[in-house]
Amino acid sequence: MDTALPAEMPVLAAPRFGFDNSYARLPEAFHVRMPPVPVKAPKLVRLNTALAARLGLDPAELGSDAGIAVLSGSALAPGSEPITQAYAGHQFGHFNPKLGDGRAHLLGEVLAPDGARFDIQLKGSGRTPWSRGGDGRAAIGPMLREYIISEALHALGIPTTRSLAVVTTGEWVMREEPLPGAVLTRVASSHVRVGTFQYFAARGDNASLRHLLDYAIARHDPAAAQAANPALAFLQGVIARQAELIAQWLLVGFVHGVMNTDNMAVSGESIDFGPCAFMEAYDPAMVLSSIDHQGRYAYGNQPRIAHWNLTRLAEALLPLLAEQEDAAIELAKETLGAFAPRFGAVYEAGLLRKIGIAAARDGDSALVQDLLERMAANAADFTLTFRHLAEAAEGDDAPARALFADPAAFDAWATGWRARLAQEAPDAAARIRAANPLFIPRNHLVEEALSAATQREDYAPFEALLNVLGQPFADQPGQDRYTLPAQAEERVTATFCGT
Ligand code: AMP
Ligand code: MG
C-alpha cells in the first residue's frame, strides 16, 4: 500500500515487553508498517495490573512516564515494530474489500510466562492508510466501555480480548460533540479475523491466503498442521470455538451488537465491542445498536449470524479446502453443519446448569424453555431470575417470583422444577450460584461510569464498577446497588457505535 511512512519516533529503554513480531514478519501484503500518532498530553487513567502480571509485564514500568508514552502511542518500547493490519469484512451484510486498522496499531506480541502469545495493540492511536474518512481516534467513553465489557466477560469465564490500559490523550475528538480522546491497549490471542481471510480471498491472492492459514494454524490450531486437510481442520476449529462462544454469550445475556465479519476473531475470543450490552428483562429480540434497524444482530439472532459469518470464512477458504471447487463446497457445507449441534449442545447444557440440573433427562429442555417463555412474557430480569433460583432451591421463592410481572407465572413453573430438582444431587443452590452471575455490567451502571469519566474526569464510578464485576459470582455485601435492574428512568434503550 502506498503511503509516506514511517515518521521517526523515539524508542525508549522501557517498558520492556520482550516483543516478538511474528505478524510483522509476514509479507508486505499483510500490513502497513507505521508508528502510532503521538498525542498531546497523555494521562494514565487505568492500568490492569492483574493482566500485566498474567503477561509477565512490570506494572511499575507500564505506569511510569515512559510506559504512559508507549501506551499513548507517543513513543515506542524496545523491540516494537508497529504495524496496522489489513482486513476486509461484511458490515451489516455488505462486503467491504478494504477495511484494515483505521485507528489501531499492533505494537508487537508478548510471550507470557506460560508461553502463550498475545498481541499488544493500541486502539484510537491515530490515522492510518485504512482510516478512510475517520480521524483515527477514539473517545474516552467507548474505550472505557470496551474495558468494562471485555474485563467483565473475562471474569465470567468467557473467551475475550482484554484491556491492559486506558490513557487519555489531552486532545479532543469531534463526534456529535467534542469529547476527550483516549487510547485503549488491547490484548488479544491474535487479531486475525474472518475478514482477514476475506481480504486475501477477495483479491484472489491464494498465496497470501495459504500463508495466513499457516500462520493462524500455528497460532491457534497447531494440531491442524498435522491433519490430512489442514484448512478443513482449521475451519472445524474456528466453527467449534465460535459455536461455544456464542452459546456462552447467550447464557449470560450478552448482545455483541455489531457481529460484522471483521469483528469475529478466528481465535474464538469476543472482540471489537461497539454498541454491546447485557440484557436486563429477557427478550430474545432485543437489539441494542441504534444503527441496527433490521435486528440483524439481535440477542437471539447471534447464532444465525455467527453461522452466516462462518459461511463467509468457509467461502474464503474454498481454494485451500480442495483442488476442485465442487469438492471444496461439499466439504465446506458439511463442516458448517457442525455449528448448530455444537452450539445447541453447549447452550442446552448451560441452560440446564443455570436451573441446577447437572445430568440431562427427557423433558428438561422443555422445562427450561418454559421458564424462558414465562420470563419473556413477564419481562423478568434474565440475570436475577436465574440467580434467585438458588434461594428458591433453598425454599425461598420470593426474590425470584418478584421479578415476574405476574408472580403466579413463576409459581406455576416452580412446582414442576422443584419436582425435577428432587431427582438431582443435593446442594442445587450452590450449583446454581456457580452457574449464574449476580453482577453483570448493567447498561445504566456502564453509562453512569462513562459519563462521570467523560464529563467530570471522575473515574471513581468506573473503578467501583470494575471492582464488583471482577467477582461476578460472589455475594458481595453492601454492593446491592450493582445487582439491581435499571429503574424506568435509568433505562438505556440503545447504545451507540460512538467511535
Ligand atoms: P468497527 O466498527 O469499530 O469494527 O470499525 C470498522 C472499521 O472502521 C475498521 O476498519 C476501523 O478501523 C474503522 N474505524 C472505526 N472508527 C474509526 C475512526 N475513528 N477513524 C478511522 N477508522 C475508523
Ligand atoms: Mg472492528
Side-chain angles (χ1 to χ4, degrees), residues 23 81-83 85 104-109 119-122 191:
Y23 209 88
E81 289 177 42
I83 56 170
Q85 291 171 296
H105 294 77
L106 179 62
L107 298 183
E109 299 142 28
D119 280 5
I120 306 291
Q121 191 208 58
L122 299 185
H191 284 85

Side-chain angles (χ1 to χ4, degrees), residues 87 91 123 186 193 258 260 262-263 271-272:
Y87 53 86
Q91 300 182 301
K123 186 167 176 180
R186 175 156 74 183
R193 306 152 189 268
V258 58
N260 295 329
D262 54 306
N263 294 339
I271 191 171
D272 268 6

